[in-house]
């Protein structure tokens, strides 16, 4: 049994039912890939069939039927307990409530499956408010990395194994390899080459590919290569979580103080997530949502509540933005409805409720260096929002069946893993005396995000030597034994910090040696040995000096050779403790034991909740999107998007802008075109039918905005810039995940366009439009009659 909840078998247990179509039953090994695939296909077609699960005594009636939708899971009570008996250290933050919040204005007992949209009048702390109620659902998403899951395992001496998995998590693959064999960890050496994309799908779920290959290599005593086809990968590997949210928002109607119109006084939201058949990362993703659910808004009476449903799908897993894009679609839809209920633009309401410096989040973390408002103002200016909004209004007045929409949203995104144990990184440096070249081992996985380039830059900057003299090695667990997974946008931030401090220590060591030589031998001797970098203030030890045998060498090279001859250590290691993420979060609420659900195979425990620490820091960003929607067909064209992203001091603007745009486009696919379709009934109910690009639609050329403007927020506009250690490596910030959330702006723009058409045709302006906004969903939401 593997995974965070220790509940998912590598191969299905013959004594237990299959829990989802795509679960691994067996592994076929053969001399060639083609033979292995042919045998596996034959077994699948002629030796294995699916039938319904017989009703078992002591299990609820619904247990024998596949649960394929969140609605069905909520209806029958298929909810995971928060603290499973197999892994009681798991925790699930059930609620986040701002201390002192009151909800006498909200219908807290509302039927979870009541999906009506309505506006009522109410009083919140003596203030007349409109209370907008509604629901919003978001779907799953396939990671669709370029390289499917793959592992190569090679037997080594003394029953050892060298494992080459395509993973973001070398430590976890090391763990799975040792666990499935029952061996000591020092018998396993995990080496991770560059990975062809990950996006979270190659963290926990890679265990079930790696462990299977390890077992085969151990049994056969031969090298084994296991590479999934695209269809196998998509069927077997979990995906982004789908969520369903039911919200109530209390917004000031301006009846007492007109200038307060649009202030959000209350937000009450309940969410249910599609966890799939096993625990996997569901509760970690839920916790990340809980502590980012407030987004960029300071709301006095605030509560967000989450339960995780068990369904008969592949276990939902980590994916880029870790649930935050789903939460933002739900939250911003709620804000959008609230703004409409008081006759305001959503952007006016958003701006009025933004966090300011010194505010405190609902879970108790102070925003000591918040400049969300400055980022918002910069976006508003650079996007020319007011002109674009006027152009949209003019276009809509002249067109009945094509409508344009504009939306501008802010995002505050918490950084880090929220667990002090993971807020660390280790690096090792070795310098060769022959030519002064450098090798650095570190724990970060290169997946195309530019991690190696950034870390080489950091090392070159601190050591003050050319980048081409530095080699950054991929993770090897026999060298860096416990590397934190490369995810959550921490790869460069954490490993770069370790390399920075390691190189600073080595630089100080070399400088101390040179000063010792100067003191003991004198300046003439140092000059004759070509180590007098202090005489070259502009170029330092990169200065070229004559070599004894002719030609030129750098002073650095002479220094390193001399240091080696004097037995000065040219290797070093350093473990960096990432600061800021090691303070326990004070205001979190866990479901009482007596209220914990129980389902077959899962019983709750009374274990104390696990640790959940503060964020290391925050990024602030925003996006403005303009779309045009064909109301009759449901087709959407993204006319323009303007992105502003807070990178701090960017290590490499070219890489960072590429990351912002790549994440944003991946988010575009999620909110517009990427829809999972499952077989609804029959013997293979729950089979995923959208296995490849014939039926599943990642972003294509027509999805990309016609105009895409990306800006890194100028550091000079940020007031009260924090000093180290409250910033990332060399005052930079992370970039991998937060920009994906900005794609929610496009979904909101589509919703705005559909609303324009509905209101023009006399239909209610409050309506349900779920994500993704496919052509089918847009047409359904638009409610255009065929006659």
């Amino acid at each position: 049994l593997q995974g965070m909840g220790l509940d998912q078998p590598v191969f299905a247990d013959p004594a237990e039912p299959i829990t989802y179509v795509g679960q691994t039953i067996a592994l076929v090994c053969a001399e060639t890939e083609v033979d292995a695939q042919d045998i596996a296909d034959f077994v699948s077609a002629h030796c294995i069939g699916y039938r319904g699960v017989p009703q078992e005594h002591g299990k609820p009636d619904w247990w024998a039927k596949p649960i394929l939708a969140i609605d069905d899971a909520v209806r029958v009570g298929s909810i995971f307990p928060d603290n499973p008996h197999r892994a009681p250290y798991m925790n699930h933050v059930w609620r986040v409530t701002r201390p002192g919040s009151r909800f006498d204005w909200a219908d807290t007992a509302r039927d979870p499956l009541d999906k009506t949209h309505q506006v009522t009048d109410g009083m919140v702390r003596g203030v007349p408010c409109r209370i907008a109620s509604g629901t919003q659902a978001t779907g799953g998403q396939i990671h669709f990395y370029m390289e499917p899951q793959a592992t190569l395992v090679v037997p080594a001496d003394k029953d050892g194994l060298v494992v080459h998995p395509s993973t973001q998590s070398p430590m976890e693959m090391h763990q799975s390899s040792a666990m499935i064999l029952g061996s000591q960890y020092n018998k396993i050496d995990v080496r991770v080459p560059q990975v062809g994309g990950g996006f979270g799908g190659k963290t926990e779920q890679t265990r079930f590919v790696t462990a299977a290959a390890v077992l085969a290599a151990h049994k056969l005593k031969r090298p084994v290569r296991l590479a999934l086809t695209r269809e196998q990968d998509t069927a077997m590997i979990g995906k982004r979580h789908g969520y369903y949210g039911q919200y109530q928002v209390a917004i000031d109607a301006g009846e007492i103080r007109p200038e307060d119109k649009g202030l959000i006084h209350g937000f009450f939201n309940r969410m249910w997530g599609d966890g799939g058949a096993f625990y996997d990362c569901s509760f970690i993703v839920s916790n990340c949502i809980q502590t980012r659910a407030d987004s960029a808004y300071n709301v006095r009476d605030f509560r967000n509540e989450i339960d995780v449903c068990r369904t008969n799908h592949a276990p939902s897993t980590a994916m880029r933005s870790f649930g935050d894009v789903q939460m933002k679609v739900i939250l911003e839809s709620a804000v959008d409805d609230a703004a409409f209920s008081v006759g305001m633009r959503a952007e006016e309401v958003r701006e009025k409720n933004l966090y300011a410096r010194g505010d405190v989040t609902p879970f108790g973390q102070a925003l000591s260096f918040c400049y969300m408002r400055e980022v918002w103002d910069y976006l508003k200016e650079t996007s020319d929002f007011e002109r674009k909004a006027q152009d949209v209004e003019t276009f809509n007045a002249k067109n009945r069946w094509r409508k344009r929409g504009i939306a501008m949203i802010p995002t505050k995104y918490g950084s880090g893993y929220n667990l002090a144990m993971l807020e660390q990184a280790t690096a090792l440096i070795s310098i060769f005396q022959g030519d002064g070249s450098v090798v650095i081992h570190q724990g970060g996985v290169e997946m195309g995000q530019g991690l190696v380039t950034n870390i080489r830059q950091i090392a070159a900057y601190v050591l003050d030597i050319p980048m081409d003299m530095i080699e950054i090695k991929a993770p090897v667990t026999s060298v860096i034994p416990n590397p934190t997974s490369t995810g959550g946008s921490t790869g460069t931030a954490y490993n770069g910090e370790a390399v920075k401090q390691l190189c600073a220590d080595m630089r100080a060591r070399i400088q101390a040696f040179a000063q010792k030589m100067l003191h003991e031998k004198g300046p003439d001797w140092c000059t004759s040995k070509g180590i007098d970098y202090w005489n070259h203030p502009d170029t330092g030890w990169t200065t070229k000096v004559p070599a004894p045998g002719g030609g030129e060498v750098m002073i650095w090279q002479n220094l390193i050779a001399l240091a080696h001859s004097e037995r000065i250590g040219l290797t070093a290691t350093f473990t960096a403790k990432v600061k800021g993420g090691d303070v326990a979060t004070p205001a979190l609420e866990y479901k009482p034991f007596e209220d914990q659900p129980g389902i077959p195979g899962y019983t709750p425990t009374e274990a104390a909740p696990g640790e959940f620490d503060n964020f290391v820091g925050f990024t602030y960003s925003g996006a403005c999107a303009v779309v045009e929607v064909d109301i009759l067909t449901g087709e959407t064209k993204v006319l323009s998007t303007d992105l502003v992203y807070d990178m701090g001091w960017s290590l490499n603007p070219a890489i960072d802008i590429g990351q912002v745009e790549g994440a944003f486009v991946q988010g575009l696919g999620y909110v517009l075109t990427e829809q999972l379709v499952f077989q609804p009934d029959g013997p293979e109910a729950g089979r995923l039918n959208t296995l490849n690009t014939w039926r599943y639609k990642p972003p294509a050329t027509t999805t990309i905005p016609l105009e895409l403007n990306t800006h890194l927020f100028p550091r000079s506009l940020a007031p009260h810039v924090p000093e180290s250690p409250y910033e990332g490596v060399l005052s930079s910030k992370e970039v991998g995940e937060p920009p994906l959330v900005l794609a929610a702006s496009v979904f909101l723009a589509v919703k705005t366009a559909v609303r324009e058409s509905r209101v023009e045709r006399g239909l209610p302006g409050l309506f349900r439009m779920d994500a993704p906004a496919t052509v089918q969903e847009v047409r359904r939401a638009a409610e255009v009659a065929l006659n």
Side-chain angles (χ1 to χ4, degrees):
L1 294 174
Q2 302 269 342
M4 286 188 175
L6 292 177
D7 62 337
Q8 185 173 351
V10 176
F11 298 107
D13 185 343
E16 296 291 333
I18 296 296
T19 54
Y20 67 94
V21 179
Q23 185 176 359
T24 303
I25 297 172
L27 176 67
V28 171
C29 296
E31 291 283 351
T32 71
E33 182 179 358
V34 172
D35 288 346
Q37 190 62 58
D38 286 346
I39 297 168
D41 290 343
F42 179 87
V43 172
S44 296
H46 301 287
C47 306
I48 291 174
Y50 293 92
R51 62 179 175 83
V53 176
Q55 185 63 49
E56 297 182 47
H57 177 70
K59 293 184 178 179
D61 293 342
W62 55 264
W63 187 256
K65 303 173 184 177
I67 302 295
L68 303 178
I70 294 176
D71 285 14
D72 295 335
V74 172
R75 187 175 293 111
V76 301
S78 183
I79 308 292
F80 280 115
D82 298 346
N83 294 88
H85 62 285
R86 288 194 184 98
Y89 50 82
M90 290 292 292
N91 74 86
H92 170 207
V93 178
W94 176 45
R95 282 178 178 167
V96 169
T97 304
R98 185 180 291 279
S101 291
R102 289 165 38 183
F103 299 102
D104 49 339
W105 55 270
D107 180 6
T108 57
R110 186 180 180 188
D111 181 352
L113 298 179
D114 179 355
K115 299 185 179 182
T116 58
H117 284 66
Q118 60 185 3
V119 177
T120 58
D121 293 328
M123 300 290 288
V124 179
R125 299 178 184 268
V127 178
C129 290
R130 302 277 189 273
I131 301 172
S133 304
T135 65
Q136 177 70 58
T138 64
Q141 185 181 21
I142 298 171
H143 300 86
F144 229 93
Y145 24 66
M146 289 190 295
E147 174 197 26
Q149 302 276 355
T151 301
L152 170 65
V153 185
V154 180
D157 293 340
K158 299 181 180 179
D159 296 323
L161 292 173
V162 179
V163 185
H164 303 269
S166 178
T167 184
Q168 301 169 239
S169 305
M171 179 171 66
E172 284 75 4
M173 297 314 111
H174 199 136
Q175 178 191 55
S176 288
S177 300
M179 284 174 63
I180 198 168
L181 301 181
S183 72
Q184 291 186 173
Y185 279 52
N186 60 3
K187 297 289 187 181
I188 308 293
D189 189 14
V190 173
R191 303 177 182 181
V192 182
Q194 180 167 331
V195 173
F199 312 120
K202 293 181 179 176
T203 51
E204 288 298 308
Q205 286 289 295
T206 304
R207 291 177 184 268
F208 304 96
V209 178
T210 299
V214 163
L215 180 63
H218 174 75
K219 289 286 187 181
L220 299 175
K221 308 299 182 188
R222 298 181 61 178
V224 169
R225 177 180 179 270
L226 175 56
L228 303 187
T229 65
R230 176 66 63 187
E231 287 77 10
Q232 289 169 336
D233 187 294
T234 307
M236 172 184 170
I237 302 300
K239 297 151 189 72
R240 184 186 294 282
H241 290 74
Y243 276 93
Y244 163 67
Q246 184 192 63
Y247 53 79
Q248 299 172 60
V249 184
I251 186 169
D252 199 313
E255 295 178 9
I256 296 179
R257 289 166 50 91
E259 63 270 26
D260 287 346
K261 182 180 179 181
L263 285 176
I264 298 176
H265 293 294
F267 178 78
F268 181 87
N269 186 48
R270 294 189 294 174
M271 296 175 66
W272 292 266
D274 184 347
F278 298 103
Y279 262 75
D280 200 83
C281 295
S282 289
F283 296 111
I284 306 301
V285 172
S286 295
N287 291 351
C288 289
I289 291 175
Q290 287 287 46
T291 48
R292 296 187 179 108
D294 55 323
S295 187
Y297 307 121
N298 190 1
V299 179
R300 175 65 185 86
D301 295 328
F302 178 93
R303 172 175 289 174
N304 198 66
E305 180 181 303
I306 296 181
D307 278 316
V308 179
C309 301
R310 183 194 179 277
T311 64
N312 294 105
H313 296 151
S316 300
T317 192
M319 189 167 183
R320 197 175 192 174
S321 92
F322 245 68
D324 199 44
V325 67
Q326 298 98 303
M327 181 65 226
K328 292 304 181 290
V329 169
I330 294 170
L331 171 67
E332 295 295 357
S333 286
V335 172
D336 190 67
D337 287 354
F340 179 78
S341 72
V342 293
M344 295 178 66
R345 287 193 316 200
E347 288 73 24
E348 295 172 330
V349 173
R350 292 177 181 126
E351 183 173 323
K352 207 157 198 172
N353 292 277
L354 292 175
Y355 274 118
R357 186 186 185 217
D359 288 339
V360 179
T361 67
F363 54 90
Q365 184 166 357
L367 302 175
S368 303
F369 302 101
C370 176
Y371 42 91
M372 185 72 253
R373 292 172 181 261
E374 287 77 12
V375 171
W376 177 267
D377 291 342
Y378 183 72
L379 171 62
K380 199 171 183 181
E381 177 186 349
T382 56
S383 67
D384 201 0
F385 172 78
E386 294 297 344
R387 180 190 61 79
K388 287 180 178 177
Q390 183 59 54
D391 290 347
V392 166
E393 186 176 334
T394 301
F395 180 90
N396 289 340
K398 296 178 179 178
N399 293 272
R400 179 171 178 80
W401 298 116
R402 283 186 179 272
K403 293 296 181 183
R404 290 183 178 178
I406 184 170
M408 180 171 153
I409 66 168
T411 293
K412 171 182 65 65
Y413 195 95
S415 311
Y417 277 118
N418 306 106
L419 182 61
M421 177 184 73
L422 300 178
E423 314 287 4
Q424 60 174 303
T426 299
L428 182 147
I429 187 171
S430 302
I431 306 176
F432 293 95
Q433 65 87 22
D435 64 354
S437 60
V438 175
V439 170
I440 295 176
H441 286 269
Q442 48 82 50
V445 176
E446 174 62 61
M447 296 174 282
Q449 80 277 40
L451 176 143
V452 167
T453 299
N454 279 332
I455 290 182
R456 283 181 73 195
Q457 286 183 213
I458 292 167
Y461 175 73
V462 176
L463 291 175
D464 192 21
I465 60 175
M467 283 181 63
D468 60 12
M469 293 190 69
I470 300 170
E471 187 72 21
I472 305 297
K473 293 294 186 181
V476 178
T477 56
S478 59
V479 180
I480 306 294
N482 306 298
T484 296
S485 178
T486 304
S489 306
T490 63
T492 294
Y494 287 17
N495 294 287
E497 182 64 24
V499 168
K500 183 194 80 172
Q501 297 194 44
L502 172 67
C503 290
D505 284 356
M506 179 56 75
R507 174 177 175 146
R509 182 187 299 180
I510 300 302
Q511 285 178 325
F513 167 71
Q515 293 302 312
K516 180 174 181 287
M517 293 295 98
L518 176 61
H519 177 71
E520 292 181 357
K521 305 291 188 179
D524 292 341
W525 186 88
C526 292
T527 301
S528 68
K529 294 295 184 182
I531 64 169
D532 58 330
Y533 67 87
W534 48 84
N535 290 324
H536 306 275
D538 292 334
T539 52
W541 53 35
T542 61
T543 303
K544 296 288 186 66
V545 295
E552 291 182 325
V553 295
M554 289 192 301
I555 288 176
W556 163 265
Q557 295 169 300
N558 286 337
L559 256 178
I560 294 302
L562 186 60
H564 174 70
S565 71
E566 295 291 327
R567 297 184 294 185
I568 301 298
L570 297 178
T571 62
T573 185
F574 187 90
T575 297
K577 299 178 181 179
V578 179
K579 298 183 183 297
D582 48 9
V583 178
T585 301
L588 302 175
E589 187 175 347
Y590 298 86
K591 185 178 290 187
F593 176 73
E594 57 271 17
D595 295 334
Q596 290 283 343
I599 56 177
Y602 294 90
T603 55
T605 69
E606 293 191 76
E611 180 183 354
F612 194 91
D613 298 319
N614 270 353
F615 290 110
V616 172
F618 296 91
T619 60
Y620 303 98
S621 58
C624 175
V626 180
V627 303
E628 185 176 308
V629 178
D630 187 323
I631 300 300
L632 297 178
T633 67
E635 292 176 285
T636 295
K637 182 187 297 181
V638 185
L639 301 180
S640 69
T641 54
D642 292 88
L643 315 178
V644 170
Y645 191 76
D646 166 33
M647 269 306 304
W649 287 111
S650 173
L651 295 174
N652 187 319
I655 288 177
D656 292 337
I657 287 176
Q659 283 291 290
V660 171
E661 293 178 348
F664 179 78
V665 170
Q666 190 170 35
L668 271 185
Y670 177 63
V671 301
L672 290 183
T673 61
E674 297 184 46
Q675 185 172 35
L676 303 176
V677 180
F678 295 91
Q679 185 74 14
D681 47 34
E684 293 191 34
R687 182 189 67 211
L688 183 64
N689 290 325
T690 47
L691 292 175
N692 54 40
T693 53
W694 287 109
R695 294 181 177 180
Y696 186 76
K697 301 303 175 185
T701 54
T702 54
T703 318
I704 310 301
L706 298 181
E707 180 183 341
L708 175 55
N709 303 312
T710 305
H711 302 273
L712 299 182
F713 180 65
R715 198 60 167 164
S716 59
L717 298 181
H720 317 296
V721 175
E723 301 294 336
S724 182
Y726 301 102
E727 283 276 87
V729 55
L730 298 175
S731 294
S732 66
K733 292 191 176 185
E734 77 282 359
V735 69
E737 300 201 327
L740 189 145
V741 178
L742 300 178
S745 62
V746 176
F747 179 84
L748 271 295
V750 174
K751 183 178 178 181
T752 301
V754 172
R755 175 180 285 129
E756 285 289 323
S757 176
R758 288 177 60 93
V759 171
E760 183 177 87
R761 291 179 285 119
L763 297 175
L766 294 181
F767 60 98
R768 180 174 65 87
M769 187 178 80
D770 292 332
T774 61
V775 291
Q776 297 91 337
E777 180 63 15
V778 170
R779 288 194 65 219
R780 185 202 61 75
E783 293 189 60
V784 176
L786 295 179
N787 54 354

